[in-house]
């Protein structure tokens, strides 16, 4: 089973803050400036193609790289050839080759659960599609009802806040950072301490991609494929094997 561990962040196009990508996300939200932006499918196709080539033909178990890429956004990728492991005790997880449907895998050592999911449908069009994803955030297809549900979930239980202009008591639910005081009519910009309490920042998350085995005639066929898409990586591999 060929697997790779990933930690990825992308630069927000609005404020340049690093935004962690905890899975193959196409819709991204920046916790710092609250901007939303999109990533194209080819962004993930290229990343997974190169990681497949490195992990399958160049890296040994436990080896990895810290790389940067510049496309539309600056991207930082930490990846390595590593079997999926428990986030609590770091013990390897014994997983099935294919997963349908998604489930929470219990670690045999400590009992902690890790989400295991099949890749989203759009990812199956990649040159080297993964078989399953471990500890990765997966976005579902959005409809109008789903978007309305997300808007409602963005609001939290109201928090009392004092207007800095008149001292009036305001109730803040986290929907907007700029609110209007009901007493004096002044626009109030919520301070960082309150806003980030209502909107906790995402933390960096390590997740895993499982591609499956590479052996026998498949190595030759995959090398032919990668020679067209990642010639530099293939050249490095052939040089080390010579």
């Amino acid at each position: 089973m060929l697997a790779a561990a990933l930690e990825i962040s992308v630069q927000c196009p609005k404020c340049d803050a690093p935004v962690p990508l905890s899975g193959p996300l196409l819709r991204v939200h920046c916790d710092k400036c609250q901007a939303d932006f999109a990533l194209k499918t080819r962004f993930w196709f290229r990343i997974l193609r190169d990681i497949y080539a490195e992990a399958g033909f160049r890296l040994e178990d436990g080896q990895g790289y810290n790389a940067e890429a510049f496309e539309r956004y600056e991207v930082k990728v930490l990846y390595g050839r590593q079997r999926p492991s428990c986030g609590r005790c770091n013990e390897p997880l014994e997983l099935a080759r294919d997963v349908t449907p998604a489930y929470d895998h219990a670690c045999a050592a400590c009992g902690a659960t890790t989400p295991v999911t099949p890749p989203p449908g759009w990812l199956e069009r990649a040159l080297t599609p993964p078989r399953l994803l471990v500890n990765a955030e997966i976005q579902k297809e959005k409809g109008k009802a789903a978007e309305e549900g997300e808007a409602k979930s963005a609001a939290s239980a109201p928090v009392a806040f004092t207007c800095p202009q008149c001292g009036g008591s305001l109730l803040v639910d986290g929907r907007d950072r700029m609110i209007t005081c009901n007493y004096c009519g002044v626009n109030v910009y919520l301070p960082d301490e309150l806003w980030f309490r209502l909107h906790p920042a995402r933390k960096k998350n390590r997740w895993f991609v499982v591609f499956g085995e590479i052996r026998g005639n498949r190595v030759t066929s995959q090398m032919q494929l990668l020679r067209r898409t990642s010639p530099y990586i293939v050249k490095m591999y052939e040089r080390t094997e010579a």
Side-chain angles (χ1 to χ4, degrees), residues 99-166:
V99 175
T100 304
Y103 75 102
D104 290 331
H105 185 90
C107 174
C110 71
T113 58
T114 303
V116 181
T117 59
W122 59 266
L123 199 51
E124 296 178 358
R125 302 196 305 270
L127 289 174
T128 53
R131 287 189 174 183
L132 57 91
L133 305 174
V134 181
N135 202 36
E137 181 181 349
I138 303 296
Q139 290 171 331
K140 296 182 179 180
E141 295 295 329
K142 292 179 63 176
K144 184 175 181 180
E147 291 178 351
E148 292 176 352
E150 285 185 3
K152 291 180 180 179
S153 64
S156 60
V159 176
F161 180 70
T162 301
C163 173
Q165 178 72 17
C166 69

Side-chain angles (χ1 to χ4, degrees), residues 37-130:
F37 58 100
L39 297 175
K40 295 185 180 298
T41 56
R42 67 170 180 265
F43 167 87
W44 288 108
F45 292 167
R46 291 172 180 173
I47 287 180
L48 293 180
R49 177 200 67 192
D50 292 343
I51 290 176
Y52 178 89
E54 288 275 7
F57 302 104
R58 187 177 178 187
L59 298 178
E60 300 292 337
D61 288 338
Q63 289 185 330
Y65 282 105
N66 194 348
E68 294 187 12
F70 298 89
E71 294 187 11
R72 184 179 178 185
Y73 313 114
E74 179 181 351
V75 184
K76 293 185 178 181
V77 185
L78 173 65
Y79 64 92
R81 180 166 178 165
Q82 179 183 339
R83 290 178 56 190
S85 59
C86 174
R88 178 189 292 176
C89 68
N90 207 35
E91 285 294 315
L93 301 177
E94 297 297 333
L95 305 174
R97 291 179 178 272
D98 298 289
V99 175
T100 304
Y103 75 102
D104 290 331
H105 185 90
C107 174
C110 71
T113 58
T114 303
V116 181
T117 59
W122 59 266
L123 199 51
E124 296 178 358
R125 302 196 305 270
L127 289 174
T128 53

Side-chain angles (χ1 to χ4, degrees), residues 181-200:
C181 177
N182 297 325
Y183 302 97
C184 66
V186 70
N187 290 328
V188 179
Y189 185 77
L190 301 181
D192 289 346
E193 294 80 3
L194 176 58
W195 184 251
F196 290 123
R197 175 66 64 89
L198 296 170
H199 299 272

